[in-house]
Amino acid sequence: MLKVILSVLFLAVITTAIGYQQLQATINTPLMVTNNTQFEVKRGTGFNKLCKQWQANNWVDSCWRYQIIAKLDPTLTDLKAGLYALSNTSVISNIKKINQGQQVSFSFTIIEGQALRDVLAAIKNTTNLKNDLNIEQLSQQVLSSDIHLEGWLFPDTYHYHNNDTASSVLKRAAQKMQQTLDDAWQQRAQNLPYNSAYEVLIMASIIEKETGLASERPLIASAFVNRLNTNMRLQTDPTVIYGLGENFDGDIKRKDLRDYTPYNTYRIKGLPPTPIAMPSKAAILAAVNPPHSEYVYFVAKGDGSHQFSTTLKQHNAAVKTYILNKKN
């Protein structure tokens, strides 16, 4: 009788050992895919359906072993919808990636100085992003306001997942710009010619478009602030170009400087009605804390830098040196 009991116990141990070995082998079995194979888990997909899909793709040889493992670890059945990059690691590790929602990440970049129309054109052609933008109601959609969206999208790289919406990306960019602008407004210097944070945004966008060298943003800001504080017109070409819109052919003409638009700062006093581009944080900080200077003029040298002047006589001499002499 004792021999029979011992034999049964021996068989049980052997069977358990074999079962454990099979379990470990299943747990360590690789998913038969090449690395970074993209697979979409659709909403409502259950564990069994997922495994059957992988079996149909010949990524796993059968499902029953994994169904047993899922019984032992029910957390494996909590699948999160999304697009995933599968790898030739174990089947279980790939399933856990889905459990944790480690989706493929895409990115969209807003560049410093981009105009709204360029941002919208770029985001329209961005992959794996739903274009839900309503152009006629864009400001309400992104800002929950009727204010023009120009200038309100912070230049940065924004990461998103498959089938996220374009409006959700732009809302994040707008929130970041709002926070950046609010912080800068609280830290602004005294005696600046701005009545609101929005005017800072307008000025920052002009500084951004006038800047060839990042290091010159503060001096350009100083010159513009000096102009406004002395009731001079800004007389800056980028605003004129913005006002021309699609009519600008790449070459600004004297006629363009004479013709009236709300953005022609050779014709209007003060700031234009809206920003003209998406300003960087550096441009915003320059607008609210410009260094003290006597500069009111500057002219491009042709290498990205500018010659700054305090008097019209100095400025005319700089124009002759850097512009007129080059044309002759």
Side-chain angles (χ1 to χ4, degrees), residues 88-258:
N88 192 24
T89 56
S90 71
V91 174
I92 298 302
S93 67
N94 280 281
I95 292 174
K96 285 184 177 180
K97 180 184 291 187
I98 298 170
N99 299 150
Q100 296 166 5
Q102 297 177 11
Q103 298 184 52
V104 175
S105 180
F106 301 93
S107 63
F108 174 71
T109 299
I110 298 172
I111 302 169
E112 297 172 354
Q114 265 189 318
L116 177 62
R117 62 177 177 269
D118 298 321
V119 175
L120 296 180
I123 204 166
K124 181 180 179 181
N125 296 319
T126 300
T127 58
N128 300 92
L129 192 64
K130 286 184 179 178
N131 185 7
D132 66 334
L133 298 177
N134 184 331
I135 300 302
E136 294 181 355
Q137 300 179 8
L138 193 59
S139 292
Q140 280 290 343
Q141 192 176 18
V142 177
L143 297 175
S144 299
S145 168
D146 289 329
I147 194 169
H148 199 291
L149 189 57
E150 187 71 80
W152 280 108
L153 305 176
F154 190 84
D156 203 352
T157 295
Y158 297 89
H159 297 279
Y160 63 91
H161 294 141
N162 184 52
N163 287 329
D164 280 353
T165 61
S167 64
S168 69
V169 174
L170 295 188
K171 283 178 182 178
R172 282 191 281 143
Q175 289 166 359
K176 189 166 185 180
M177 180 62 84
Q178 182 70 71
Q179 187 61 58
T180 302
L181 185 61
D182 288 346
D183 292 345
W185 181 246
Q186 296 302 317
Q187 302 167 26
R188 69 189 184 279
Q190 299 298 314
N191 301 318
L192 293 175
Y194 313 128
N195 295 315
S196 66
Y198 186 58
E199 291 189 352
V200 170
L201 190 66
I202 296 172
M203 175 63 87
S205 72
I206 299 172
I207 294 168
E208 191 68 62
K209 294 301 290 184
E210 277 282 13
T211 303
L213 295 177
S215 60
E216 287 191 346
R217 286 190 184 104
L219 281 181
I220 288 175
S222 180
F224 281 143
V225 165
N226 289 340
R227 289 184 192 181
L228 291 181
N229 279 336
T230 55
N231 292 317
M232 287 181 62
R233 292 179 179 174
L234 286 179
Q235 295 186 324
T236 172
D237 291 356
T239 63
V240 178
I241 293 169
Y242 185 85
L244 292 172
E246 295 180 355
N247 293 324
F248 180 60
D249 61 5
D251 181 24
I252 194 165
K253 303 173 179 65
R254 289 186 179 181
K255 176 180 179 299
D256 299 327
L257 303 182
R258 291 194 303 266

Side-chain angles (χ1 to χ4, degrees), residues 7 43 72 77 79 91 98 135 169 207 211 274 312 318 321 325:
S7 297
R43 197 172 300 278
L72 298 172
T77 64
L79 305 180
V91 174
I98 298 170
I135 300 302
V169 174
I207 294 168
T211 303
T274 73
L312 182 59
T321 298
N325 285 346

